[in-house]
């Protein structure tokens, strides 16, 4: 069974970012060869609205049989609010909380991000998972695209 991965928009934008492009392009090679089921959400679509066209077009390169869009549900909104109530993130980072909550309530295997300040951060990951466990959700695995690249032996 293919891993179910939720990618936030930092991964999509990272394709054209000098700092992240090499690893992001290798990661997208794995997406194009259908190594994963890729999940995006309504929040992803909203964040991509002001993005350059080439960034928006990158989503179209994800094979349609591997791309699943998740709705932003009341359950995810409530969990995201709990992250804020626990002061893991501030209100200015609400969309980051939404991404994590959407992935969590949908029991996604891995959330993939380049956002080191708010998401791919060991202290924050521990806090997100403490809240998840407190409210009966599974822990969420959070990684960078580099960690999902499949290397030849």
């Amino acid at each position: 069974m293919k891993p179910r991965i939720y990618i936030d928009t930092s991964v999509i934008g990272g394709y054209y970012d000098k700092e992240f492009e090499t690893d992001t392009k290798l990661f997208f090679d794995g997406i194009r060869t259908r190594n994963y089921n890729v999940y995006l959400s309504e929040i992803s679509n909203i964040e991509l609205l002001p993005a350059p066209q080439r960034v928006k077009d990158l989503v179209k390169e994800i094979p349609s049989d591997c791309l699943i869009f998740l709705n932003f549900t009341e359950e995810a909104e409530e969990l995201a609010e709990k992250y804020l109530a626990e002061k893991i993130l501030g209100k200015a980072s609400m969309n980051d909380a939404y991404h994590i909550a959407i992935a969590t309530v949908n029991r996604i295997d891995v959330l993939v991000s380049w956002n080191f300040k708010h998401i791919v951060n060991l202290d924050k990951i521990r806090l997100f998972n403490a809240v998840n466990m407190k409210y009966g959700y599974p822990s969420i695995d959070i990684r960078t695209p580099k960690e999902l690249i499949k290397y030849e032996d």
Side-chain angles (χ1 to χ4, degrees), residues 39-107:
Y39 292 76
L40 295 172
S41 70
E42 293 178 60
I43 303 304
S44 309
N45 287 342
I46 291 166
E47 288 182 341
L48 287 170
L49 285 174
Q53 191 60 46
R54 67 183 185 164
V55 173
K56 293 177 191 175
D57 289 345
L58 189 58
V59 174
K60 297 174 188 169
E61 294 186 31
I62 300 172
S64 61
D65 60 328
C66 297
L67 179 61
I68 299 100
F69 281 93
L70 299 172
N71 292 322
F72 180 50
T73 63
E74 187 176 320
E75 181 183 14
E77 185 173 15
E78 289 172 4
L79 182 57
E81 290 289 344
K82 287 175 171 68
Y83 298 147
L84 268 64
E86 297 283 340
K87 300 194 181 340
I88 303 169
L89 295 172
K91 235 185 183 1
S93 303
M94 195 71 212
N95 281 358
D96 296 331
Y98 288 156
H99 287 300
I100 296 158
I102 291 167
T104 298
V105 301
N106 285 283
R107 275 115 175 119

Side-chain angles (χ1 to χ4, degrees), residues 1 5 10 13 18-21 25 33 43 55 68-69 78-79 81 86 92 105 107 109 121 136 143 148 150:
M1 190 164 157
I5 63 168
S10 71
K18 287 189 188 317
E19 183 178 359
F20 302 115
E21 71 180 330
K25 287 178 179 180
T33 56
I43 303 304
V55 173
I68 299 100
F69 281 93
E78 289 172 4
L79 182 57
E81 290 289 344
E86 297 283 340
V105 301
R107 275 115 175 119
D109 298 320
N121 173 305
R143 305 290 175 153
L148 275 79
K150 296 191 183 295

Side-chain angles (χ1 to χ4, degrees), residues 97-119:
Y98 288 156
H99 287 300
I100 296 158
I102 291 167
T104 298
V105 301
N106 285 283
R107 275 115 175 119
I108 299 300
D109 298 320
V110 182
L111 185 149
V112 184
S113 177
W114 283 122
N115 182 337
F116 295 108
K117 184 174 182 183
H118 300 126
I119 299 178

Side-chain angles (χ1 to χ4, degrees), residues 116-153:
F116 295 108
K117 184 174 182 183
H118 300 126
I119 299 178
V120 190
N121 173 305
L122 184 59
D123 292 334
K124 300 259 186 215
I125 292 167
R126 288 178 175 163
L127 293 169
F128 293 131
N129 284 326
V131 169
N132 291 349
M133 300 303 277
K134 179 178 179 179
Y135 293 99
Y137 292 100
S139 60
I140 182 81
D141 197 6
I142 300 175
R143 305 290 175 153
T144 67
K146 185 179 186 95
E147 295 172 279
L148 275 79
I149 296 168
K150 296 191 183 295
Y151 297 96
E152 297 296 321
D153 291 332

